[in-house]
Tab-separated table of all heavy atoms in Angstrom:
chain	number	residue	atom	x	y	z
A	51	PRO	N	7.777	-1.408	-8.049
A	51	PRO	CA	7.023	-2.635	-7.736
A	51	PRO	C	5.736	-2.737	-8.542
A	51	PRO	O	5.269	-1.744	-9.107
A	51	PRO	CB	6.710	-2.468	-6.246
A	51	PRO	CG	6.627	-0.983	-6.069
A	51	PRO	CD	7.678	-0.412	-6.987
A	52	ASP	N	5.165	-3.947	-8.593
A	52	ASP	CA	3.900	-4.164	-9.287
A	52	ASP	C	2.742	-3.560	-8.498
A	52	ASP	O	1.698	-3.240	-9.055
A	52	ASP	CB	3.638	-5.675	-9.454
A	52	ASP	CG	4.712	-6.334	-10.302
A	52	ASP	OD1	4.881	-5.915	-11.460
A	52	ASP	OD2	5.386	-7.256	-9.802
A	53	LEU	N	2.939	-3.454	-7.178
A	53	LEU	CA	1.871	-2.975	-6.303
A	53	LEU	C	2.449	-2.303	-5.065
A	53	LEU	O	3.493	-2.711	-4.562
A	53	LEU	CB	1.010	-4.174	-5.853
A	53	LEU	CG	-0.058	-3.907	-4.783
A	53	LEU	CD1	-1.173	-3.019	-5.315
A	53	LEU	CD2	-0.635	-5.209	-4.275
A	54	VAL	N	1.754	-1.276	-4.587
A	54	VAL	CA	2.108	-0.623	-3.326
A	54	VAL	C	0.911	-0.765	-2.385
A	54	VAL	O	-0.219	-0.476	-2.762
A	54	VAL	CB	2.409	0.884	-3.513
A	54	VAL	CG1	2.807	1.520	-2.185
A	54	VAL	CG2	3.480	1.104	-4.558
A	55	LEU	N	1.173	-1.239	-1.163
A	55	LEU	CA	0.157	-1.250	-0.115
A	55	LEU	C	0.512	-0.062	0.773
A	55	LEU	O	1.571	-0.047	1.399
A	55	LEU	CB	0.200	-2.550	0.683
A	55	LEU	CG	-0.431	-3.751	-0.012
A	55	LEU	CD1	-0.173	-5.021	0.778
A	55	LEU	CD2	-1.919	-3.567	-0.205
A	56	MET	N	-0.357	0.951	0.805
A	56	MET	CA	-0.035	2.227	1.438
A	56	MET	C	-0.976	2.582	2.569
A	56	MET	O	-2.188	2.689	2.372
A	56	MET	CB	-0.117	3.306	0.347
A	56	MET	CG	0.151	4.705	0.810
A	56	MET	SD	1.868	5.185	0.623
A	56	MET	CE	2.030	5.241	-1.151
A	57	ASP	N	-0.397	2.800	3.751
A	57	ASP	CA	-1.176	3.282	4.889
A	57	ASP	C	-1.512	4.749	4.620
A	57	ASP	O	-0.756	5.439	3.936
A	57	ASP	CB	-0.320	3.143	6.155
A	57	ASP	CG	-1.085	3.497	7.423
A	57	ASP	OD1	-2.329	3.441	7.417
A	57	ASP	OD2	-0.436	3.814	8.429
A	58	ILE	N	-2.617	5.240	5.137
A	58	ILE	CA	-2.959	6.650	4.922
A	58	ILE	C	-2.293	7.548	5.959
A	58	ILE	O	-1.682	8.549	5.628
A	58	ILE	CB	-4.491	6.870	4.926
A	58	ILE	CG1	-5.075	6.293	3.637
A	58	ILE	CG2	-4.820	8.364	5.036
A	58	ILE	CD1	-6.557	6.505	3.471
A	59	THR	N	-2.402	7.183	7.231
A	59	THR	CA	-1.902	8.053	8.291
A	59	THR	C	-0.449	7.726	8.616
A	59	THR	O	-0.168	6.708	9.248
A	59	THR	CB	-2.780	7.899	9.553
A	59	THR	OG1	-4.149	7.948	9.160
A	59	THR	CG2	-2.497	8.995	10.557
A	60	MET	N	0.469	8.571	8.133
A	60	MET	CA	1.905	8.382	8.377
A	60	MET	C	2.562	9.740	8.592
A	60	MET	O	2.053	10.754	8.117
A	60	MET	CB	2.567	7.698	7.170
A	60	MET	CG	2.129	6.270	6.937
A	60	MET	SD	3.063	5.465	5.609
A	60	MET	CE	2.425	6.294	4.158
A	61	PRO	N	3.709	9.738	9.276
A	61	PRO	CA	4.425	11.007	9.482
A	61	PRO	C	5.098	11.494	8.186
A	61	PRO	O	5.193	10.738	7.228
A	61	PRO	CB	5.480	10.646	10.531
A	61	PRO	CG	5.665	9.174	10.401
A	61	PRO	CD	4.356	8.625	9.952
A	62	GLU	N	5.567	12.709	8.179
A	62	GLU	CA	6.273	13.362	7.072
A	62	GLU	C	5.397	13.632	5.857
A	62	GLU	O	5.238	14.756	5.439
A	62	GLU	CB	7.534	12.586	6.656
A	62	GLU	CG	8.726	12.947	7.508
A	62	GLU	CD	10.001	12.290	7.021
A	62	GLU	OE1	10.415	12.552	5.881
A	62	GLU	OE2	10.575	11.517	7.792
A	63	MET	N	4.854	12.576	5.278
A	63	MET	CA	3.946	12.723	4.137
A	63	MET	C	2.909	11.624	4.289
A	63	MET	O	3.280	10.470	4.459
A	63	MET	CB	4.739	12.535	2.838
A	63	MET	CG	3.913	12.682	1.581
A	63	MET	SD	4.800	12.129	0.088
A	63	MET	CE	5.953	13.465	-0.169
A	64	ASP	N	1.611	11.989	4.267
A	64	ASP	CA	0.616	10.934	4.443
A	64	ASP	C	0.462	10.102	3.165
A	64	ASP	O	1.012	10.437	2.115
A	64	ASP	CB	-0.713	11.500	4.953
A	64	ASP	CG	-1.486	12.313	3.917
A	64	ASP	OD1	-1.380	12.027	2.709
A	64	ASP	OD2	-2.210	13.233	4.325
A	65	GLY	N	-0.284	9.015	3.284
A	65	GLY	CA	-0.427	8.082	2.175
A	65	GLY	C	-1.100	8.668	0.945
A	65	GLY	O	-0.773	8.313	-0.182
A	66	ILE	N	-2.045	9.589	1.156
A	66	ILE	CA	-2.738	10.179	0.011
A	66	ILE	C	-1.787	11.094	-0.769
A	66	ILE	O	-1.747	11.045	-1.997
A	66	ILE	CB	-4.033	10.910	0.450
A	66	ILE	CG1	-5.045	9.870	0.966
A	66	ILE	CG2	-4.638	11.703	-0.719
A	66	ILE	CD1	-6.329	10.435	1.528
A	67	GLN	N	-0.974	11.877	-0.051
A	67	GLN	CA	0.024	12.719	-0.727
A	67	GLN	C	1.034	11.847	-1.477
A	67	GLN	O	1.393	12.144	-2.610
A	67	GLN	CB	0.785	13.570	0.294
A	67	GLN	CG	-0.013	14.700	0.892
A	67	GLN	CD	0.796	15.400	1.979
A	67	GLN	OE1	1.158	14.809	2.990
A	67	GLN	NE2	1.099	16.655	1.749
A	68	ALA	N	1.466	10.765	-0.826
A	68	ALA	CA	2.428	9.855	-1.449
A	68	ALA	C	1.830	9.208	-2.692
A	68	ALA	O	2.488	9.094	-3.732
A	68	ALA	CB	2.879	8.792	-0.451
A	69	LEU	N	0.556	8.796	-2.597
A	69	LEU	CA	-0.155	8.211	-3.738
A	69	LEU	C	-0.146	9.186	-4.920
A	69	LEU	O	0.173	8.815	-6.046
A	69	LEU	CB	-1.600	7.885	-3.330
A	69	LEU	CG	-2.604	7.568	-4.447
A	69	LEU	CD1	-2.257	6.264	-5.147
A	69	LEU	CD2	-4.015	7.485	-3.872
A	70	LYS	N	-0.481	10.454	-4.647
A	70	LYS	CA	-0.526	11.474	-5.710
A	70	LYS	C	0.857	11.660	-6.333
A	70	LYS	O	0.981	11.769	-7.557
A	70	LYS	CB	-1.054	12.802	-5.151
A	70	LYS	CG	-2.544	12.748	-4.838
A	70	LYS	CD	-3.033	14.028	-4.183
A	70	LYS	CE	-4.528	13.957	-3.899
A	70	LYS	NZ	-4.991	15.071	-3.067
A	71	LYS	N	1.897	11.698	-5.510
A	71	LYS	CA	3.269	11.853	-5.999
A	71	LYS	C	3.680	10.676	-6.885
A	71	LYS	O	4.279	10.856	-7.936
A	71	LYS	CB	4.256	11.940	-4.817
A	71	LYS	CG	4.438	13.326	-4.280
A	71	LYS	CD	5.817	13.831	-4.713
A	71	LYS	CE	6.157	15.210	-4.235
A	71	LYS	NZ	5.505	16.289	-4.980
A	72	ILE	N	3.356	9.460	-6.424
A	72	ILE	CA	3.699	8.256	-7.192
A	72	ILE	C	2.964	8.275	-8.533
A	72	ILE	O	3.563	8.015	-9.581
A	72	ILE	CB	3.380	6.975	-6.375
A	72	ILE	CG1	4.401	6.814	-5.236
A	72	ILE	CG2	3.373	5.737	-7.284
A	72	ILE	CD1	4.084	5.708	-4.238
A	73	LYS	N	1.676	8.619	-8.520
A	73	LYS	CA	0.876	8.665	-9.746
A	73	LYS	C	1.370	9.750	-10.705
A	73	LYS	O	1.274	9.600	-11.914
A	73	LYS	CB	-0.607	8.888	-9.426
A	73	LYS	CG	-1.277	7.715	-8.733
A	73	LYS	CD	-1.293	6.465	-9.579
A	73	LYS	CE	-2.655	6.125	-10.081
A	73	LYS	NZ	-2.672	4.887	-10.877
A	74	GLU	N	1.903	10.849	-10.147
A	74	GLU	CA	2.474	11.926	-10.974
A	74	GLU	C	3.629	11.386	-11.806
A	74	GLU	O	3.760	11.683	-12.980
A	74	GLU	CB	3.050	13.030	-10.056
A	74	GLU	CG	2.276	14.304	-10.015
A	74	GLU	CD	2.772	15.197	-8.879
A	74	GLU	OE1	4.002	15.418	-8.764
A	74	GLU	OE2	1.921	15.656	-8.095
A	75	GLY	N	4.485	10.608	-11.140
A	75	GLY	CA	5.671	10.072	-11.801
A	75	GLY	C	5.379	8.843	-12.645
A	75	GLY	O	6.095	8.553	-13.603
A	76	ASP	N	4.333	8.092	-12.292
A	76	ASP	CA	3.989	6.868	-12.999
A	76	ASP	C	2.474	6.690	-12.957
A	76	ASP	O	1.930	6.159	-11.998
A	76	ASP	CB	4.697	5.667	-12.351
A	76	ASP	CG	4.364	4.342	-13.032
A	76	ASP	OD1	3.608	4.343	-14.027
A	76	ASP	OD2	4.852	3.309	-12.561
A	77	ALA	N	1.828	7.146	-14.011
A	77	ALA	CA	0.363	7.097	-14.065
A	77	ALA	C	-0.172	5.673	-13.960
A	77	ALA	O	-1.290	5.451	-13.527
A	77	ALA	CB	-0.127	7.751	-15.352
A	78	GLY	N	0.636	4.693	-14.317
A	78	GLY	CA	0.206	3.305	-14.293
A	78	GLY	C	0.442	2.596	-12.974
A	78	GLY	O	0.196	1.397	-12.850
A	79	ALA	N	0.907	3.331	-11.965
A	79	ALA	CA	1.197	2.730	-10.659
A	79	ALA	C	-0.055	2.107	-10.053
A	79	ALA	O	-1.155	2.659	-10.173
A	79	ALA	CB	1.763	3.780	-9.717
A	80	THR	N	0.098	0.954	-9.420
A	80	THR	CA	-1.017	0.268	-8.773
A	80	THR	C	-0.853	0.385	-7.262
A	80	THR	O	0.133	-0.091	-6.710
A	80	THR	CB	-1.042	-1.216	-9.196
A	80	THR	OG1	-1.088	-1.267	-10.623
A	80	THR	CG2	-2.267	-1.917	-8.645
A	81	VAL	N	-1.816	1.030	-6.614
A	81	VAL	CA	-1.734	1.278	-5.182
A	81	VAL	C	-3.037	0.869	-4.495
A	81	VAL	O	-4.122	1.176	-4.976
A	81	VAL	CB	-1.457	2.780	-4.883
A	81	VAL	CG1	-1.328	3.033	-3.391
A	81	VAL	CG2	-0.206	3.253	-5.620
A	82	ILE	N	-2.898	0.156	-3.368
A	82	ILE	CA	-4.041	-0.163	-2.517
A	82	ILE	C	-3.814	0.586	-1.205
A	82	ILE	O	-2.747	0.485	-0.603
A	82	ILE	CB	-4.143	-1.684	-2.234
A	82	ILE	CG1	-4.451	-2.463	-3.521
A	82	ILE	CG2	-5.232	-1.956	-1.179
A	82	ILE	CD1	-4.474	-3.980	-3.352
Side-chain angles (χ1 to χ4, degrees):
D52 298 301
L53 172 68
V54 181
L55 283 172
M56 179 93 68
D57 185 22
I58 288 183
T59 314
M60 293 186 289
E62 275 186 61
M63 181 191 285
D64 71 31
I66 293 176
Q67 288 175 298
L69 166 67
K70 288 175 179 170
K71 273 253 181 283
I72 288 172
K73 291 297 251 181
E74 252 169 50
D76 179 2
T80 305
V81 182
I82 294 176

